[in-house]
Coordinates of all heavy atoms in Angstrom, one line a residue:
P439 N -11.0 17.3 -8.4 CA -9.9 16.4 -8.4 C -9.1 16.5 -7.1 O -8.8 17.6 -6.6 CB -9.0 17.0 -9.6 CG -10.0 17.7 -10.4 CD -11.0 18.3 -9.5
G440 N -8.7 15.3 -6.5 CA -8.1 15.3 -5.3 C -6.8 16.2 -5.2 O -6.5 16.8 -4.2
V441 N -6.0 16.2 -6.3 CA -4.8 16.9 -6.3 C -5.0 18.4 -6.1 O -4.1 19.2 -5.7 CB -4.0 16.6 -7.6 CG1 -4.6 17.2 -8.8 CG2 -2.5 17.0 -7.4
N442 N -6.2 18.9 -6.5 CA -6.5 20.4 -6.4 C -7.0 20.8 -5.0 O -7.2 22.0 -4.7 CB -7.5 20.8 -7.4 CG -6.9 20.7 -8.8 OD1 -5.7 20.6 -9.0 ND2 -7.8 20.5 -9.8
I443 N -7.4 19.8 -4.2 CA -8.1 20.1 -2.9 C -7.3 21.0 -2.0 O -7.9 21.9 -1.4 CB -8.5 18.8 -2.3 CG1 -9.6 18.1 -3.1 CG2 -8.9 19.0 -0.8 CD1 -10.8 19.0 -3.2
P444 N -6.0 20.9 -1.8 CA -5.3 21.8 -0.8 C -5.6 23.3 -1.2 O -5.8 24.1 -0.3 CB -3.9 21.4 -1.0 CG -3.9 19.9 -1.3 CD -5.1 19.8 -2.3
T445 N -5.5 23.6 -2.5 CA -5.7 25.0 -2.9 C -7.2 25.4 -2.8 O -7.5 26.4 -2.2 CB -5.3 25.2 -4.4 OG1 -3.9 24.8 -4.5 CG2 -5.5 26.6 -4.8
I446 N -8.1 24.5 -3.3 CA -9.5 24.9 -3.2 C -10.0 25.1 -1.8 O -10.6 26.1 -1.5 CB -10.3 23.7 -3.9 CG1 -10.0 23.7 -5.4 CG2 -11.8 24.0 -3.7 CD1 -10.6 22.5 -6.1
V447 N -9.6 24.1 -0.9 CA -10.2 24.1 0.4 C -9.5 25.2 1.3 O -10.2 25.9 2.0 CB -10.1 22.7 1.1 CG1 -10.5 22.8 2.5 CG2 -11.0 21.8 0.3
S448 N -8.2 25.3 1.2 CA -7.5 26.3 2.1 C -7.9 27.7 1.8 O -7.9 28.6 2.6 CB -6.0 26.1 2.0 OG -5.5 26.4 0.7
Q449 N -8.3 28.0 0.5 CA -8.6 29.3 0.2 C -10.1 29.6 0.5 O -10.5 30.8 0.6 CB -8.4 29.6 -1.3 CG -6.9 29.6 -1.7 CD -6.7 30.0 -3.1 OE1 -7.6 30.1 -3.9 NE2 -5.4 30.2 -3.5
S450 N -10.9 28.6 0.6 CA -12.4 28.9 0.7 C -13.1 28.4 1.9 O -14.2 28.7 2.2 CB -13.1 28.3 -0.5 OG -12.6 28.9 -1.7
A451 N -12.4 27.5 2.7 CA -13.1 26.9 3.9 C -13.0 27.9 5.1 O -12.0 28.6 5.3 CB -12.5 25.6 4.2
G452 N -14.0 27.8 6.0 CA -13.9 28.6 7.2 C -14.8 29.8 7.2 O -15.3 30.3 6.2
A453 N -14.9 30.5 8.4 CA -15.6 31.7 8.5 C -14.9 32.9 7.8 O -13.7 32.9 7.7 CB -15.8 32.0 10.0
G454 N -15.7 33.8 7.4 CA -15.2 35.0 6.7 C -14.9 34.8 5.2 O -14.4 35.7 4.6
K455 N -15.3 33.7 4.7 CA -15.0 33.4 3.3 C -16.3 33.6 2.4 O -16.2 33.4 1.2 CB -14.4 32.0 3.1 CG -13.2 31.8 3.9 CD -12.0 32.6 3.4 CE -10.7 32.3 4.2 NZ -10.2 31.0 4.0
I456 N -17.4 33.9 3.0 CA -18.6 34.0 2.2 C -19.4 35.2 2.7 O -19.1 35.8 3.7 CB -19.5 32.7 2.4 CG1 -19.9 32.5 3.9 CG2 -18.9 31.5 1.8 CD1 -20.9 31.5 4.1
V457 N -20.4 35.6 1.9 CA -21.4 36.6 2.3 C -22.7 35.9 2.3 O -23.4 35.8 1.3 CB -21.4 37.8 1.3 CG1 -22.4 38.8 1.7 CG2 -20.0 38.4 1.1
P458 N -23.1 35.4 3.5 CA -24.3 34.6 3.6 C -25.5 35.5 3.5 O -25.5 36.7 3.7 CB -24.2 34.0 5.0 CG -23.4 34.9 5.8 CD -22.4 35.5 4.8

Side-chain angles (χ1 to χ4, degrees):
V441 71
N442 294 338
I443 288 303
T445 300
I446 294 172
V447 173
S448 65
Q449 290 187 354
S450 299
K455 302 294 182 67
I456 58 170
V457 180

